[in-house]
Amino acid sequence: MAKLYFYYASMNAGKSTNLLQADFNYRERGMRTMLFTAAIDTRAAMGAIASRIGLEKQAIAFDAATDLAAIVTTEHANAPVACVLVDEAQFLSEAQVAQLAKLADVDGIPVLAYGLRTDFRGKLFPGSAALLAIADNLVELKSVCECGRKATMNLRVDSAGNAVAEGAQTEIGGDDRYVALCRKHFTERLAAAEG
């Protein structure tokens, strides 16, 4: 039975690397995969899944209007799709998460979704909330805080490294804009920025 998996973590935990390794494993065995990533994230290039360690692969870029299930089922009818892999899954809509669940439940295609759990204020992203609610398997990937404890939060910082407490939920960036921290250090630095 196919399942919907949600691999979540803070920044710098290796989500994209893990996704690209899973894709490689399927393809090495001669199985066809389909990769998706959020169109809003153009840090590497439009439709590119890129890891910090240098791995990169092209994917289908999605936005809120993209019908993921329609794309996959059309391709699956032409040649079997063994697995669907989604990077930046926090940017999925609730409807798109339901589409991914349908691919697993009805079409029998495993779906591996990778993304952030929370934003820079510690609030759930809509896509992540939907995945946490209905995914068959939840897998936390680990990152490390500056203190050595497990990092679970993403602190947005300015160019001087100071915490940012206000702004839009989505602002694309990497190490220049976000720092992965444990909850204790996230809370302390965010409180200092708000105070």
Side-chain angles (χ1 to χ4, degrees):
M1 178 177 164
K3 293 183 179 180
L4 170 59
Y5 297 84
F6 181 36
Y7 294 85
Y8 65 92
S10 62
M11 302 282 289
N12 300 323
K15 295 178 297 297
S16 297
T17 303
N18 193 298
L19 180 154
L20 293 170
Q21 180 65 54
D23 175 66
F24 176 82
N25 291 344
Y26 275 95
R27 289 180 181 274
E28 185 178 43
R29 288 160 185 80
M31 298 177 187
R32 185 172 181 223
T33 61
M34 289 188 73
L35 280 65
F36 291 88
T37 191
I40 192 171
D41 186 356
T42 58
R43 286 176 290 170
M46 173 62 82
I49 297 173
S51 71
R52 285 178 173 77
I53 63 169
L55 303 174
E56 187 172 326
K57 185 145 183 155
Q58 279 305 119
I60 298 167
F62 70 85
D63 60 24
T66 305
D67 187 335
L68 302 171
I71 294 169
V72 174
T73 55
T74 298
E75 288 295 317
H76 189 60
N78 296 328
V81 175
C83 186
V84 172
L85 299 105
V86 181
D87 198 31
E88 304 295 346
Q90 69 271 14
F91 298 127
L92 292 166
S93 69
E94 190 172 337
Q96 287 169 324
V97 171
Q99 292 168 15
L100 296 176
K102 176 195 169 292
L103 289 172
D105 297 343
V106 177
D107 299 301
I109 303 169
V111 177
L112 285 61
Y114 295 78
L116 299 173
R117 182 176 55 119
T118 59
D119 67 13
F120 75 105
R121 294 171 297 210
K123 306 294 183 201
L124 289 172
F125 283 97
S128 301
L131 284 161
L132 288 167
I134 69 166
D136 298 298
N137 286 63
L138 302 172
V139 182
E140 182 181 23
L141 301 175
K142 307 294 191 284
S143 186
V144 180
C145 178
E146 56 198 25
C147 71
R149 294 196 310 221
K150 180 174 76 170
T152 58
M153 311 299 288
N154 303 299
L155 183 73
R156 185 179 291 169
V157 295
D158 62 19
S159 60
N162 300 310
V164 175
E166 296 294 325
Q169 183 178 43
T170 301
E171 184 177 314
I172 303 301
D175 296 338
D176 59 324
R177 295 293 295 146
Y178 294 94
V179 178
L181 298 171
C182 66
R183 185 180 58 242
K184 176 182 187 283
H185 288 113
F186 170 84
T187 303
E188 288 173 359
R189 289 186 58 185
L190 192 60
E194 291 171 338

